[in-house]
Amino acid sequence: MKSRLASEVNRILILSGIAALAAVSLDSLWPVVIALAGYIVWHLRQLFELYSWLTQKEHTEPPDSSGLWGDLYTRLEHLFRKERRAQEELAGIIQRAQSSVNALEDAVLLIDRHGRLEYFNQTAEQFLGFRHSQDMNQVLTNLIRDPRLYNYLQQGLFREPLELASPKDDNRILQYHVTEFGPGDRLIMVRDVTRLHKLEQMRKDFVANVSHELKTPLTVLKGYLETLLGSVPDEQTRLRRALHQMDQQSSRMEALVHDLLMLSRLESSQPEGVQQAVLLHGLLQRMRDDAETLSGDKQQKISVDVPVDARLIGSPAELESAFSNLISNAVKYSPAKSEINIRYWQDERGAHFSVSDTGHGIDPTHIPRLTERFYRPDSSRHSETGGTGLGLAIVKHIMIRHQGRLEIKSEVGKGSTFTCHFPQARLVTKPTAVAG
């Protein structure tokens, strides 16, 4: 760089010297003016050639030049080649990324904060019927006109995926997974779950049909057992003991069939369209009385803390089933003379119903799986209490149908708290008085 600058300075000095000698010999400043004008014109010519070279559409070799201009062309050419290599590498990466995304079995959509489609892969064309020539930059909910998808995107609660029929094929079930990134941008993965959906439906139908078919023979069997228990003399202790055990197991199986039918109905049916404001004070007071009867000789202290005018919008039968399951579990799995507290309250987040006990507690490793069907952290406890292993699964499904969630907190040796959280949309009025 210094050599180029020195050579340019030498060129200016030589030109200035020649112009000065000519001016002295001719006794005129015109040689100096002509020399400066020529120097300026030469630089302007170089500048225009640089502009013409930079603005041309196709890249060509740089113009021939010397001095600082020649060094500038050399450095610019080096930078341009480096940029072209970077662009080619980036284009290759983008091409490989697009090829890999197009090779996915799942549809991939990118939408901006306004809901417009910025990108979708080839699988989206198969699943959703999109076409690049017409649908790019269109609002997604204008292309998939389903109110459930619109509400799902508007609410912004993407913990659980959304399942919808394909707009292209009603027999294909698609599952939408949404991930947020950037300022309002969203990545949507659309997966074909038709096979899983059919298998799940087959499982539900099988459980429902088997449970329904078992109901009648169980009723007949239980009726005969009750008849035999009433007719066998007390002296035949061994026979009576056998019949009593059979009666207990048939009652347990009857409860299992009832819970299976309830769970099947919750899974296969849509939430009731018309729901009502459920008066909770009388309901929970009645449940407390039933819990005291169930407690029997255990002498447990059961308290209720619920406002007199507490009301909650929902299905009365389903809410009663959920609350009853939680209360009966607390009674069954809490030791004698323990305390059980039933509480309902409202705040700015919504409505809350909780059942707390001072029982043995649950190991934290089991809590995430407690709402699974037939999951039992301690099978011996369930066999002793006659539990079916479906109560918490029923509670979970009822909460989902009421747009709520079940929260479980427990500490070994100190007890457990099961809390049902309902959204504000389920509230009626703010309670004023409290009765226990």
Side-chain angles (χ1 to χ4, degrees), residues 16-17 32 37 54 80 85 89 96 135 163 173 201 233 261 301 317 319 324 363 367 385 389 391 407 427:
S16 300
V32 176
L54 292 176
F80 288 161
R85 285 195 299 269
E89 291 177 359
R96 287 194 297 274
D135 298 332
E163 290 188 3
I173 305 300
Q201 190 60 45
L261 288 173
K301 182 180 178 182
L319 291 177
S324 177
D363 191 297
I367 291 179
T385 59
E407 180 185 17
L427 301 182

Side-chain angles (χ1 to χ4, degrees), residues 15 37 78 94 201 236:
L15 182 62
H78 177 72
I94 294 174
Q201 190 60 45
Q236 300 182 10

